[in-house]
Structures are given as structure tokens and as C-alpha cells.
Amino acid sequence: ARALPRLLAEAERASAEMAVLEHARVVLATELLRCALAKPSSSHVLRAAIAYAERVLPQAEALPEARVALAREERRDAARSKLREAEKRLDQMAELAQVLRDCREDGLEEWELHVATKLLREHSIRHIAY
């Protein structure tokens, strides 16, 4: 019975520490989402921020916006992959041209399309020259 006050005090300290830890997790989840949305972020950064927020703060206001941004980045990732594959097949210039159009529609930047654009331009010049 004498140990009860000491045990109670320890339990209260542990509870207070858990509350502080939980608050820190909520702040971290909120900051991860804010940072991922504040600047263009890769799909893996967005995916990690969303996963953490869903676990710690599933009602976070920024989650729907982050999910939309992740879907956009995943489309861009897929477009980049298609672009790299099309660049490897120089005999398929019509396909490369279509992939370039698709990539522009998916929001890829011109610097990301530079190699494919150059390949098409060089192919066109060679084709016209012969």
C-alpha cells in the first residue's frame, strides 16, 4: 500500500510523456504533409508523408490534397518510364512522338523531355537528308 503513491506518480509521469510523444507525432505528421505539398515533391516523399499521417492523424486536413498530388506524381512517374522506354527504340519514332505528347499532357517539364525531343529532331533531320 505504501508503494501505491509512488507507482501512481510514475504512471502519471509516463502518461504525461505519452501525451507529449503523441503531440510530437501529430506535429510531425502535419509538417510532413505541409512540406510535401509546399514544393514539388517526388512520389516517394508524398507516399511516406501520407502513410505517416494516415497512421498518426487520419483526419488531417491536408490528406486529400496530398493524395491528389500523389496521384499526379504517380502519373508523371509512369510517363517518365514510358518516355525512357520509347527513347530506347529509335525505330519507333511515331511512338516516341506520341509518348512525348502524353508526357506533356501529364505535366512533365520540358527539361525532362529534352533527350526524347533531341532524338526526334535528329531523326527528322536524317530522314529529310536522305
Side-chain angles (χ1 to χ4, degrees):
R2 284 197 203 178
L4 189 56
R6 183 178 51 80
L7 291 174
L8 186 56
E10 287 177 16
E12 287 173 351
R13 271 195 305 278
S15 178
E17 290 171 4
M18 288 301 292
V20 168
L21 182 58
E22 186 58 32
H23 177 71
R25 287 180 178 141
V26 167
V27 169
L28 178 59
T30 303
E31 272 305 293
L32 285 172
L33 287 173
R34 187 189 67 72
C35 289
L37 291 169
K39 60 183 182 341
S41 294
S42 64
S43 57
H44 73 275
V45 169
L46 284 160
R47 198 174 295 110
I50 290 168
Y52 188 76
E54 285 175 336
R55 195 174 78 239
V56 174
L57 189 63
Q59 72 280 12
E61 273 184 37
L63 268 172
E65 182 183 353
R67 288 183 185 114
V68 168
L70 176 59
R72 181 182 60 244
E73 287 306 313
E74 287 175 337
R75 281 192 308 276
R76 292 178 69 171
D77 289 347
R80 284 183 195 99
S81 179
K82 286 169 68 174
L83 180 62
R84 294 300 157 285
E85 287 303 311
E87 288 171 351
K88 292 176 187 175
R89 294 187 303 272
L90 296 177
D91 58 327
Q92 303 287 328
M93 286 297 124
E95 179 185 345
L96 180 57
Q98 180 60 50
V99 169
L100 267 172
R101 284 189 291 276
D102 294 344
C103 288
R104 284 188 176 101
E105 287 176 14
D106 286 332
L108 265 62
E109 303 289 331
E110 285 301 316
W111 66 267
E112 295 177 286
L113 307 176
H114 175 74
V115 171
T117 302
K118 184 178 176 186
L119 288 171
L120 269 179
R121 191 177 306 120
E122 289 172 357
H123 181 272
S124 296
I125 290 170
R126 275 189 303 234
H127 188 55
I128 291 170
Y130 294 108

